[in-house]
Amino acid sequence: MPEEAEEVINLRSQITFLQNRVKELEEENAKFSSRLSSCRCNELQEKRPKEKCENLGEERGEMNSGSKKSGRKKATSRTPGYDTRFLNHHPRRYVALKVMYFGQRFYGFALEAQMDPTVESEIFKALEKTRLLIGDKKEIQYSRCGRTDKGVSAIGQVIALYLRSKLKGSDAHNKHSGETVPEEQDGQPEGEIDYVRVLNGVLPKDIRIVGWCPVPSDFSARFSCLSREYKYFFWNDNLNLLVMETAGKKLIGEHDFRNFCKMDAVNVHNYRRNVMSFEISPCDMRFEGHQLYAIKIKGSAFLWHQVRCMVAVLFMIGQGLESPEVIDALLDTRTLRKPQYLMAPEIPLVLLSCEFEGLKFSCSSDAGQALHVHLENECRLYHLQAAIFQEALLSHLPLSIDKDSSSNGVTRKKASHIPLMSRATEPSYEERRAKLETAKLRA
């Protein structure tokens, strides 16, 4: 019995010890939890609020707001666990990046489209993954030259923003600020980050940075741009190119292009734009006897869907459905509202270049060589895919058509063309504004 009593006492003593230890651990846990809750590292796991969309002002560029919603993903603009506020102690510099992208799979360029993927969302993912961003979108003074539509590509898009730099002190300032910049080596300032190589290493294969350039802090990729140039590719399927070019020349000069765009009465109040040049030229490509051509249009700036609307009207003229004089009528906005017509498809449209004063984009020889090899490989791949489609076309056996079962023996007629001047028109700018003001008063 005494041994059993002693054992009970020992057990009770151990229980008391363990109970006290549990209390100590609970106190320590509460202390560490309190410290953790006040630590800024905890913010890394929190979902950052959606940034406020930038005010687009007058120029909306080539964004498409009428695309289908099915199958889309909501856009996300942040990489989990990455907060640029912790990089504010790093030197930075303001740079312009020249961007190339192939737009078939993107919901436009701008991140504000709220659908993924966009070109801009992929660029920001790459910037965050490479830890080149310092600060939020406002702090980095981000700007873009153009806002291209869903499916539209670009060879010379330009963006500007602050990026992390290896150069310290005055070295991180740009030439335009009056500070000394190290001599260039291998196509870029000695000792600086190879922005082109670093970003292209993580970007998807249909987006590439082709060059970068230091710019002054008051530079804007949108407002500092002197001109934009677009190309629209098309097959010459019995089009009268001479008449199309004659009509296209009428677009040159400063005009009110409200009848050649998708009107945005909320943000755009001035529809006058200056078209500097227009030309139609053949490309080095043919298919089954058809020659590929390109319309090249250069202007100071373009309205929302302006290029695709102009091309659509030119195609009607080339098909003989409209006369070249319809251009004059559509430019006379005092007597005519925009008739309803479909825009030209988006896939053949390319933002060819954006012109700036004094900007010289460059990249290292290694980055340039890698870009050249990448584009060569992509061209080879697309030629292989074209060869497969060609083989399928050649091996396709014509199907016998039973007229009785397919069309009840009746030959179907093509839809007749309704002249633009006889079509229903869209609401005018004044009517749209009046509707907006009425909605405001009711709200």
Side-chain angles (χ1 to χ4, degrees), residues 205-223:
K205 65 179 183 179
D206 44 7
I207 304 177
R208 281 296 179 267
I209 307 298
V210 298
W212 74 279
C213 177
V215 291
S217 58
D218 61 351
F219 175 85
S220 168
R222 177 184 171 194
F223 295 110

Side-chain angles (χ1 to χ4, degrees), residues 113-228:
Q114 297 300 312
M115 294 294 169
D116 240 1
T118 65
V119 178
E120 211 168 62
S121 68
E122 294 294 334
I123 291 174
F124 271 88
K125 287 176 186 176
L127 289 167
E128 293 176 343
K129 189 173 183 179
T130 54
R131 302 299 192 262
L132 288 176
L133 281 183
I134 301 179
D136 58 27
K137 203 169 184 179
K138 183 178 180 181
E139 292 170 336
I140 63 175
Q141 293 182 212
Y142 177 78
S143 62
R144 68 174 84 91
C145 183
R147 182 184 172 110
T148 53
D149 189 11
K150 174 183 179 292
V152 176
S153 301
I155 296 175
Q157 173 73 279
V158 173
I159 62 175
L161 70 171
Y162 272 103
L163 295 180
R164 181 164 55 86
S165 173
K166 278 187 176 180
L167 307 182
K168 298 181 180 180
S170 62
D171 289 344
H173 292 273
N174 299 327
K175 292 180 180 179
H176 305 274
S177 65
E179 300 289 347
T180 302
V181 173
E183 294 184 0
E184 290 192 359
Q185 182 180 20
D186 191 23
Q188 64 176 29
E190 184 178 359
E192 184 54 286
I193 296 172
D194 191 344
Y195 296 117
V196 176
R197 180 185 61 80
V198 170
L199 286 170
N200 286 345
V202 297
L203 282 167
K205 65 179 183 179
D206 44 7
I207 304 177
R208 281 296 179 267
I209 307 298
V210 298
W212 74 279
C213 177
V215 291
S217 58
D218 61 351
F219 175 85
S220 168
R222 177 184 171 194
F223 295 110
S224 300
C225 183
L226 302 177
S227 66
R228 287 98 168 158

Side-chain angles (χ1 to χ4, degrees), residues 221-423:
R222 177 184 171 194
F223 295 110
S224 300
C225 183
L226 302 177
S227 66
R228 287 98 168 158
E229 191 169 49
Y230 282 89
K231 260 191 176 182
Y232 193 96
F233 294 93
F234 65 97
W235 297 103
N236 181 19
D237 295 327
N238 300 317
L239 294 172
N240 189 331
L241 299 180
L242 184 60
V243 174
M244 285 177 62
E245 188 148 27
T246 300
K249 297 293 185 183
K250 295 175 178 289
L251 298 167
I252 297 176
E254 184 176 319
H255 303 285
D256 188 320
F257 285 99
R258 69 182 63 197
N259 290 336
F260 290 94
C261 72
K262 184 171 182 179
M263 194 174 292
D264 177 17
V266 176
N267 298 301
V268 183
H269 312 295
N270 177 16
Y271 290 86
R272 297 192 69 83
R273 295 294 185 270
N274 181 26
V275 172
M276 301 173 178
S277 64
F278 175 94
E279 66 178 67
I280 299 176
S281 58
C283 302
D284 187 22
M285 188 173 295
R286 298 181 67 88
F287 179 72
E288 292 194 339
H290 297 283
Q291 176 71 50
L292 185 68
Y293 281 82
I295 296 173
K296 187 160 66 172
I297 304 175
K298 182 178 181 180
S300 57
F302 291 92
L303 296 162
W304 192 10
H305 294 324
Q306 181 181 341
V307 175
R308 292 170 59 193
C309 286
M310 292 191 296
V311 170
V313 175
L314 290 172
F315 282 165
M316 295 181 204
I317 295 171
Q319 295 169 29
L321 302 174
E322 298 285 346
S323 69
E325 285 68 34
V326 76
I327 299 291
D328 300 311
L330 291 172
L331 290 176
D332 186 4
T333 58
R334 297 170 299 176
T335 58
L336 179 69
R337 297 190 303 184
K338 181 188 176 185
Q340 296 177 357
Y341 61 89
L342 296 176
M343 297 181 295
E346 69 275 8
I347 296 298
L349 182 60
V350 180
L351 174 57
L352 192 63
S353 64
C354 303
E355 181 186 4
F356 297 88
E357 182 179 2
L359 259 62
K360 182 181 178 182
F361 291 93
S362 63
C363 69
S364 67
S365 59
D366 287 346
Q369 179 64 24
L371 177 62
H372 184 82
V373 171
H374 170 74
L375 293 176
E376 269 192 344
N377 291 337
E378 290 298 300
C379 284
R380 289 174 184 270
L381 176 60
Y382 279 104
H383 278 294
L384 288 173
Q385 291 176 342
I388 295 172
F389 278 105
Q390 177 74 5
E391 188 67 24
L393 182 63
L394 293 173
S395 63
H396 176 68
L397 296 177
L399 298 177
S400 59
I401 300 175
D402 185 349
K403 291 184 178 180
D404 293 332
S405 61
S406 62
S407 59
N408 296 320
V410 178
T411 303
R412 294 184 179 180
K413 295 181 179 180
K414 292 185 178 179
S416 59
H417 175 75
I418 302 176
L420 288 175
M421 297 301 101
S422 302
R423 297 188 185 188

